[in-house]
């Protein structure tokens, strides 16, 4: 690392969520130190212990004593990877933020290539585990399908949203708030704010110690998060559009079922007795009433969502746009 250290504002901030990785931490720390020594940049390393039940936190304390560049955050319990990454982002002081896994599957040597790509004018560089060392059926195929769906919905074509190894410019992440399992969607949030996103292949190693923390339940969570992403992408500042659309569809179904019920009631007088049916002989009147009530609910939910959006932006004086650069303003001061 650079001998002219700046501890208040290092050039790089690496942050690693940790959950029961006691056998991987020291080898990972050695790899990170080697990669940073080669770069010659000032850096801090932030480990976020996400409620480990093994010796991970004890080992992290020892590493922090041995290396003055290391900082450790210990969460009170297991909150999940997204919360751990959010804690790392909040604590980071560097100009470039680099998240990565602590299980030795990401290679710190790839940090150099991420930074070189950032220097080409990008704001986010995402790693792509092109030769992923995971099981084909349970991990790789579901991941490929999920990445295509996420790219389609988010309109940011990346091959590998699940790769933790990425590089972000600090200003890209300053207003990002993470919930659920949404850490994997940070490039999408950044792209919405006008960030330039790129992707490069990175090395991926097979896990040699510890257990994977991923399961089928995470896939289900990702599906729900995708629904949220789509809603946020299209209707974040105009929720009445989505609720109003469903309200209009429900109202149309109410009107059509009501009209058809009336038609059946008077079909005999219209010369079509074969179609005649009294109101009590068909569920259409009930359907008409139910769909009308649902349409009213959708309209009211849309209006309530509009109030919430306005409260959210106005109470924080939060703009509905993001500025990349201001030119000429200083000459007017």
């Amino acid at each position: 690392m650079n001998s002219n250290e700046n501890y208040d504002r290092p050039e790089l901030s690496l942050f690693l969520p940790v959950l029961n990785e006691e056998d991987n931490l020291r080898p990972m720390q050695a790899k990170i130190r080697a990669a940073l020594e080669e770069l010659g940049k000032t850096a801090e390393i932030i480990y976020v212990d996400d409620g480990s039940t093994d010796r991970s936190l004890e080992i992290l304390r020892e590493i922090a004593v041995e290396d003055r560049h290391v900082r450790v955050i210990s969460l009170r319990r297991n909150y999940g990877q997204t919360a751990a990454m959010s804690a790392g982002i909040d604590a980071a002081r560097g100009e470039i933020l680099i998240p990565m896994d602590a299980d030795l599957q990401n290679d710190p040597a790839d940090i150099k290539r991420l930074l070189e790509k950032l220097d080409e004018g990008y704001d986010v560089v995402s790693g792509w585990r092109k030769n992923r060392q995971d099981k084909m059926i349970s991990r790789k195929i579901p991941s490929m399908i999920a990445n295509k769906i996420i790219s389609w919905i988010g309109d940011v074509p990346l091959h590998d949203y699940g790769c933790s190894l990425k590089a972000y410019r600090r200003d890209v992440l300053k207003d990002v708030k993470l919930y659920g399992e949404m850490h994997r969607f940070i490039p999408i949030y950044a792209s919405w704010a006008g960030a330039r996103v790129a992707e490069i292949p990175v090395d991926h190693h097979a896990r040699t110690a510890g257990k994977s923390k991923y399961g089928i339940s995470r896939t289900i969570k990702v599906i729900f998060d995708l629904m949220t992403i789509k809603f946020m992408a299209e209707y974040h500042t105009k929720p009445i559009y989505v609720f109003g659309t469903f309200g209009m569809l429900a109202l149309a179904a109410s009107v059509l079922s009501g009209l058809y019920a009336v038609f059946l009631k008077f079909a005999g007088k219209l010369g079509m007795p074969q179609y005649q049916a009294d109101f009590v002989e068909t569920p259409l009147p009930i359907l008409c009433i139910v769909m009308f009530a649902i349409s009213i609910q959708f309209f009211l939910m849309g209006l309530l969502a509009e109030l919430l959006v306005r409260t959210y932006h106005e109470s924080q004086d939060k703009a509905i746009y993001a500025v990349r650069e201001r030119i000429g303003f200083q000459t007017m001061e």
Side-chain angles (χ1 to χ4, degrees), residues 260-262 264-265 276-287:
Y260 192 51
V262 172
L264 295 179
K265 173 71 174 179
Q276 186 167 356
D278 213 353
F279 287 151
V280 297
E281 299 176 314
T282 173
L284 290 174
I286 295 177
L287 179 64

Side-chain angles (χ1 to χ4, degrees), residues 41-282:
K41 294 181 178 292
T42 57
E44 64 178 355
I45 307 164
I46 304 171
Y47 290 97
V48 183
D49 182 72
D50 188 23
S52 295
T53 56
D54 62 359
R55 295 182 60 250
S56 293
L57 183 56
E58 179 183 342
I59 294 172
L60 289 175
R61 287 195 178 102
E62 294 172 359
I63 292 175
V65 171
E66 298 164 2
D67 189 340
R68 59 182 178 176
H69 305 95
V70 171
R71 303 163 66 200
V72 178
I73 299 172
S74 175
L75 303 185
R76 290 184 178 273
R77 62 173 177 83
N78 176 227
Y79 289 91
Q81 188 175 8
T82 296
M85 291 192 68
S86 184
I89 292 171
D90 292 341
R93 299 172 295 183
E95 293 300 321
I96 304 296
L97 278 60
I98 302 173
M100 58 192 309
D101 291 330
D103 56 10
L104 288 175
Q105 292 193 271
N106 291 147
D107 194 337
D110 287 318
I111 293 174
K112 180 179 180 181
R113 297 171 51 239
L114 292 174
L115 297 178
E116 289 173 349
K117 194 67 177 179
L118 274 181
D119 289 340
E120 294 179 16
Y122 293 100
D123 302 299
V124 179
V125 180
S126 181
W128 170 20
R129 298 166 294 182
K130 195 170 184 178
N131 297 312
R132 186 173 177 178
Q133 303 300 309
D134 280 321
K135 295 179 180 179
M136 177 64 72
I137 301 299
S138 62
R139 297 291 299 276
K140 294 175 72 173
I141 291 178
S143 179
M144 289 171 59
I145 296 172
N147 284 315
K148 288 186 179 296
I149 295 174
I150 296 171
S151 294
W152 172 64
I153 290 177
D155 198 28
V156 180
L158 299 180
H159 293 88
D160 190 0
Y161 277 91
C163 180
S164 295
L165 183 58
K166 296 177 171 65
Y168 302 95
R169 296 192 187 278
R170 183 178 186 84
D171 59 350
V172 169
L173 293 180
K174 64 181 180 181
D175 292 324
V176 172
K177 302 297 181 184
L178 302 178
Y179 305 94
E181 296 287 335
M182 291 191 176
H183 63 274
R184 70 189 72 244
F185 304 131
I186 295 178
I188 296 178
Y189 287 119
S191 178
W192 293 347
R196 290 157 290 202
V197 181
E199 184 180 48
I200 64 170
V202 296
D203 290 331
H204 188 249
H205 305 288
R207 177 182 275 275
T208 57
K211 295 181 180 180
S212 173
K213 315 305 185 295
Y214 298 88
I216 189 65
S217 62
R218 178 162 297 208
T219 302
I220 297 172
K221 293 176 183 178
V222 169
I223 293 173
F224 291 136
D225 285 336
L226 274 174
M227 295 170 61
T228 304
I229 284 288
K230 184 62 177 176
F231 179 83
M232 295 291 285
E234 300 292 335
Y235 306 108
H236 175 56
T237 57
K238 46 184 185 295
I240 189 63
Y241 288 6
V242 65
F243 288 107
T245 298
F246 282 109
M248 291 300 295
L249 291 174
L251 182 61
S254 173
V255 171
L256 291 175
S257 58
L259 290 176
Y260 192 51
V262 172
F263 165 75
L264 295 179
K265 173 71 174 179
F266 298 103
K269 295 182 180 180
L270 297 175
M272 293 176 283
Q274 68 274 22
Y275 295 113
Q276 186 167 356
D278 213 353
F279 287 151
V280 297
E281 299 176 314
T282 173

Side-chain angles (χ1 to χ4, degrees), residues 307-320:
L307 288 174
L308 291 174
V309 166
R310 281 158 175 71
T311 300
Y312 169 73
H313 285 283
E314 293 172 12
S315 65
Q316 302 179 70
D317 195 21
K318 189 177 182 67
I320 60 172

